Amino acid sequence: MRRKRGQLRKGRVLIALLILGCLVVILGIQTDQYFFENKTSNIKKENADQERVQNQVKEYTLSMVMVGDNLIHDKIYLEAEKNVNGNEYDFSPMLELIRPIISTYDIAYYNQETILGGSEIGLSSYPSFNSPYEVGDAMVDAGFNLVSLATNHTLDRGKKAILNSRAYWNGKEGVLAVGSYASEEERNEIKIIEKNHITYTMLNYTYGTNGISIPSNEYYLVNVWPVLGTDPSKDFIYQEYKEKVKSDIDAVRDQVDVLIVAMHWGIEYQNTPSVYQRDMAEYLASLGVDVIIGTHPHVIGPIEWMGDALVIYSLGNFVSAHEVVNMANRIGLMSSISITKIEKENGESVVRIGNLQNELLYMYYTSDYHNFKVVPFSNMSSEYLVNYQEVYEEYKKIVQALDREIYVKSLM
């Protein structure tokens, strides 16, 4: 029995050794497989990195910021006149809180709602505006270098004011001002700006000119894309102008990395985009426009993406003494984006619009129309607006009405 037990123990040992050997073999196979897969993964990653380096030669970026209507009422230029001696005007104190922000961007857009015809033809306010050149001086000094001129007030003071305005803007080096021109040749000239190896330009149209007829054969004075009927699909004139807009876009689309279109459109004091605005935006997006900037309603509107196109329906007022709808006319929007261009070895390039950020602005002034100042909500306090927290929440919802993911900067 003892010998049998001894033989049993020996058998158990042999079985154990056999099992252990199998485990070693299996473990060795798994270890080899792990190292093989890990090595293969590293090779794949190295190949992918190498391919990425080969296909992506360089990456360039531009930053862009946008604000709304510069609507210069008499109360504003009378206040500016008090800032300096003599008959000159100084609007720079109104921009002192916004200047440090704007100056950090490569491209800075605003809409010059009122014509800069200069003091020489007499300044005027609503309903027929004319503003001093010093308005533009202050804006350019603050960092603005992209300006839309086609508005419903462009023809307020006739051809002379437009020619003065055009001469003024043509003298501002590094500034692209579009939408109103001194000649057909100037209108049709494609002006392209290049910065950081990225090229861009802007087109600009207004829905109308407050019933003032454009002089015969001088349609270059202001770019118009009229809104006439109630159904865009059945509006012959609207569709006809669509083709003209398409012609303008086709002439420049392939020559620039980024195409911006500024639209003076919509219904005054209405936050919700109209059927026409949506139709226009969809059409522009279908033609390859990258950024569509809306002005004119004098209140802010929502923002949405149409495919790759960014659509800002209304930036609201920027500098103004506009109080038709009280608080709504004093709330503006400042939107910013990043433009990235990736150049590949094969000569192809990819341009992306991203990093969309938005901040509310407030047009502050005292009850007797003094101390005008644009106040970003990041600088906001009860000194400027007592109920600013409630106002922020209300207007944040408007910006996000079509897309809850649109970013609006929080209060500090």
Side-chain angles (χ1 to χ4, degrees):
M1 291 294 294
R2 289 170 64 181
R3 191 168 56 89
K4 275 189 174 182
R5 282 199 293 267
Q7 289 176 342
L8 184 61
R9 285 197 297 269
K10 184 178 180 181
R12 287 175 178 174
V13 169
L14 290 173
I15 293 171
L17 289 172
L18 182 61
I19 292 172
L20 180 61
C22 291
L23 289 174
V24 169
V25 171
I26 292 170
L27 182 61
I29 292 172
Q30 290 181 336
T31 301
D32 287 345
Q33 184 177 358
Y34 169 78
F35 284 110
F36 174 76
E37 289 178 350
N38 190 50
K39 183 178 180 180
T40 303
S41 176
N42 287 336
I43 292 172
K44 287 181 178 179
K45 183 177 183 301
E46 288 173 3
N47 289 341
D49 290 342
Q50 187 176 3
E51 183 179 358
R52 192 176 298 112
V53 170
Q54 289 174 347
N55 290 334
Q56 180 178 314
V57 178
K58 289 184 179 179
E59 182 174 304
Y60 306 100
T61 60
L62 278 180
S63 58
M64 179 178 180
V65 66
M66 298 156 274
V67 300
D69 299 333
N70 226 31
L71 186 57
I72 309 302
H73 297 86
D74 51 3
K75 299 178 181 67
I76 294 175
Y77 61 71
L78 290 174
E79 173 75 5
E81 188 178 22
K82 296 177 181 178
N83 289 321
V84 293
N85 296 324
N87 296 319
E88 296 181 351
Y89 299 85
D90 182 10
F91 296 87
S92 58
M94 303 177 188
L95 307 175
E96 64 182 12
L97 295 180
I98 203 79
R99 185 184 297 105
I101 300 173
I102 300 300
S103 61
T104 64
Y105 287 87
D106 297 306
I107 309 171
Y109 162 89
Y110 86 98
N111 175 55
Q112 185 53 56
E113 178 84 15
T114 55
I115 192 79
L116 300 189
S119 304
E120 62 199 70
I121 63 172
L123 302 185
S124 55
S125 188
Y126 181 84
S128 185
F129 290 94
N130 179 49
S131 304
Y133 301 131
E134 288 87 348
V135 170
D137 293 343
M139 297 297 286
V140 172
D141 181 65
F144 290 97
N145 55 15
L146 185 62
V147 189
S148 55
L149 304 177
T151 80
N152 56 310
H153 290 290
T154 303
L155 281 173
D156 276 4
R157 294 294 298 274
K159 183 176 179 179
K160 174 60 176 174
I162 290 176
L163 296 179
N164 284 2
S165 166
R166 193 66 258 175
Y168 170 80
W169 288 112
N170 287 346
K172 290 295 181 182
E173 186 177 355
V175 176
L176 179 61
V178 302
S180 176
Y181 306 94
S183 68
E184 186 72 20
E185 293 74 21
E186 186 177 49
R187 183 203 182 276
N188 294 333
E189 180 185 354
I190 298 173
K191 296 181 179 179
I192 296 172
I193 305 294
E194 180 176 348
K195 189 174 180 63
N196 297 352
H197 299 276
I198 298 176
T199 56
Y200 67 91
T201 195
M202 184 171 75
L203 302 175
N204 174 212
Y205 305 89
T206 177
Y207 74 92
T209 54
N210 288 348
I212 303 173
S213 298
I214 302 174
S216 179
N217 298 320
E218 294 183 319
Y219 293 98
Y220 53 83
L221 292 175
V222 57
N223 281 346
V224 175
W225 184 358
V227 176
L228 299 174
T230 56
D231 184 350
S233 65
K234 297 178 181 178
D235 192 326
F236 174 75
I237 296 179
Y238 171 70
Q239 298 296 335
E240 186 178 31
Y241 272 82
K242 261 189 173 182
E243 291 303 310
K244 184 168 182 57
V245 171
K246 182 179 185 302
S247 177
D248 290 342
I249 291 174
D250 288 346
V252 72
R253 174 61 278 189
D254 292 338
Q255 298 190 47
V256 294
D257 297 311
V258 181
L259 178 57
I260 306 158
V261 174
M263 293 298 303
H264 206 66
W265 62 5
I267 301 172
E268 288 187 320
Y269 321 125
Q270 181 172 301
N271 304 109
T272 305
S274 67
V275 172
Y276 265 97
Q277 284 173 277
R278 299 300 290 274
D279 187 80
M280 289 172 165
E282 289 173 1
Y283 184 64
L284 292 170
S286 74
L287 296 177
V289 174
D290 299 297
V291 182
I292 303 166
I293 308 172
T295 60
H296 173 64
H298 305 302
V299 295
I300 66 173
I303 296 175
E304 68 174 334
W305 292 92
M306 285 189 174
D308 294 328
L310 175 65
V311 185
I312 303 170
Y313 283 102
S314 179
L315 289 164
N317 286 335
F318 182 57
V319 174
S320 78
H322 199 176
E323 289 194 321
V324 176
V325 196
N326 199 1
M327 182 60 65
N329 299 140
R330 297 175 72 167
I331 302 297
L333 187 65
M334 178 170 60
S335 299
S336 65
I337 56 174
S338 293
I339 301 166
T340 303
K341 177 181 177 180
I342 300 171
E343 285 187 347
K344 297 182 179 180
E345 191 178 64
N346 59 9
E348 294 180 355
S349 62
V350 178
V351 178
R352 298 190 181 98
I353 307 296
N355 193 30
L356 171 63
Q357 300 190 43
N358 302 280
E359 181 171 2
L360 297 175
L361 305 174
Y362 177 62
M363 186 67 240
Y364 170 79
Y365 46 87
T366 60
S367 58
D368 56 350
Y369 298 100
H370 293 305
N371 301 324
F372 288 88
K373 196 178 302 295
V374 179
V375 183
F377 267 66
S378 56
N379 290 88
M380 186 58 76
S381 69
S382 56
E383 173 188 355
Y384 298 114
L385 183 60
V386 174
N387 63 332
Y388 69 90
Q389 293 97 337
E390 292 84 354
V391 171
Y392 168 83
E393 294 297 335
E394 178 183 354
Y395 287 90
K396 176 183 176 182
K397 291 178 181 177
I398 293 173
V399 177
Q400 297 178 331
L402 297 177
D403 185 349
R404 295 291 296 171
E405 298 301 314
I406 297 297
Y407 173 82
V408 179
K409 188 173 182 177
S410 301
L411 294 171
M412 298 298 288

